[in-house]
Amino acid sequence: MILVLNFGGQYCHLIARRVRDFGVYAEILPCDVSLKEIGKLKPDGIILSGGPASVYEHNAPSMERKVLGLGIPVLGICYGLQLIGKFAGGEVLAGKLKEFGSKTIYIKKNGKLLKGLSKKEQVWMSHGDLVAKLPDDFDILASTDSCHIAAFENSGKRLYGIQFHAEVAHTPRGGEILRNFVFDICRAKRDWHIKSASKKLIREIKKEVGKNSVIMGVSGGVDSTVAATLLHRAVGNRLYCVFVDHGLIRKNEAEEVKNFFEKKLNFRHFYFVDASQIFLERLKGVAEPEEKRKIIGHTFIEVFESKVAELGKKHKNIKFLGQGTIYPDRIESAQPSKFASKIKSHHNVTLPEKMVLRIIEPLKEFYKDEVRKLGKELKVPDEILNRHPFPGPGLAIRILGEVIEERLSILRDADFIFIDELKKSGYYSKTWQAFAALLPVKAVGVMGDSRTYEYVISLRAVTSLDAMTADWARLPNELLEKISNRIINEIRGVNRVLYDISQKPPATIEYE
Ligand code: XMP
């Protein structure tokens, strides 16, 4: 595997994605991970990401210096290159040069890292600092007009660096550079395939669960259905699936999920639990997004634990709680640290401190598109694999502020119309995710001859690959107009519809 150390760079996730796309497993860890932790992973190579800081800044993200002396090849990208430069005894100049955007590098020597590239290549730069000098045992491979050290290698010490971002599409031959590092330098094996991944995952689940049983929260969405299918392959009828209606689901959703699990999946144990009263009661008067998420996450666990207690009389040994957590859930819920900030606490990562059940999350290393491929391999029906993601906290994070019955009912209807029209027009499958959100403000309108003072609905439709970044979907104006007219005319309590044109970053897909 290839270990990516995160120094807070905005393209860090793309590095891991690129490596995985080569068929090699890659994992991202915070830059200050211990040597012991690194030792356990036995990486074939380490990539140091970019980052917004300056290496000499007080509190700048750093890593254990010894990482460079493990004999494992290390590739520093941007900030990563500067850090290697600093540790190796070179000279790093802060703020001396600002290179942003497309640049030409002139390659003097290809070495192993730039093997196969031409004398002149386009690359994507985004840096304010630069390495001005390196010790003699470093070969300078490439320069730009203004940056002497744009790429280096020290094959004796197995240290490599590029000042530009090979992981972004704007560096057309960046993939070849990463490939040179991963295969020629690190000699990593191409063994990360969905097929082998599913077999391996099933083996691992069997080993972990042993003779015990697993209770699994399912929502009818892609992640939890694929996770449940894997668990079912591993433990068979010792899997107990539970769909919890927390009162924050969409129109007709409970019926649809029930039908799907009972008629199509045919798992022996499927239970429907209506816990809406308890969730809604606990959310009363709560407007703060993280507080809402925490209440929902903790209440889910309580509901599962009481179901286990209830089943306990007949079905012993339910020791595990299965969850459909995927990789981005964990990244965005990261505990705030010096270098990474918590964006939002995904419900399945927000667990109470004291838990009786042990968590098992077979998909925790996967991105969404990989989960879909895995689902295909496991023959999960397309109607599930093609569903848009729906977050565990449900409509609670699409009603900004306090969740109240009236708002839930309006939002359910608006969302239903939006999705209905997207499906009818063929745009549902062209968007990655789409939904309506309710803004807790009222606006003035006129209907018939009377003044109205009602809620505002915001429509959000995005395109994305893995939810780490997203763009707003360019829906046709006529379609938006039709949806807006239907929402305003058919739903009492709404007199205005907005279309959200923000990208992630700086916005996020959901509103809270
Ligand atoms: P954001 O809002 O962070 O969302 O851009 C990225 C993706 O994650 C989904 N999401 C969640 N999924 N539990 C989930 O199961 C959560 O708590 C949660 N929060 C966000 C969101 O719908 C989008 O697809």
Side-chain angles (χ1 to χ4, degrees), residues 414-431:
D415 190 74
F416 186 82
I417 293 173
F418 185 23
I419 299 301
D420 180 46
E421 290 298 336
L422 285 181
K423 283 187 175 160
K424 283 200 280 206
S425 60
Y427 273 89
Y428 183 83
S429 56
K430 291 184 198 155
T431 49

Side-chain angles (χ1 to χ4, degrees), residues 291-329:
E291 188 58 25
K292 280 160 75 174
R293 285 176 165 274
K294 191 168 140 200
I295 291 172
I296 295 168
H298 289 197
T299 309
F300 261 124
I301 301 297
E302 271 180 49
V303 173
F304 292 130
E305 288 183 339
S306 56
K307 189 73 198 170
V308 171
E310 185 194 316
L311 291 169
K313 292 167 212 132
K314 275 199 275 169
H315 309 271
K316 294 211 175 70
N317 292 331
I318 303 182
K319 296 274 191 301
F320 288 86
L321 171 65
Q323 297 206 118
T325 311
I326 61 171
Y327 199 41
D329 297 344

Side-chain angles (χ1 to χ4, degrees), residues 262-276:
E262 285 167 358
K263 303 203 173 118
K264 298 226 167 134
L265 276 195
N266 268 325
F267 291 173
R268 160 113 41 106
H269 307 292
F270 171 75
Y271 304 92
F272 174 79
V273 176
D274 181 356
S276 49

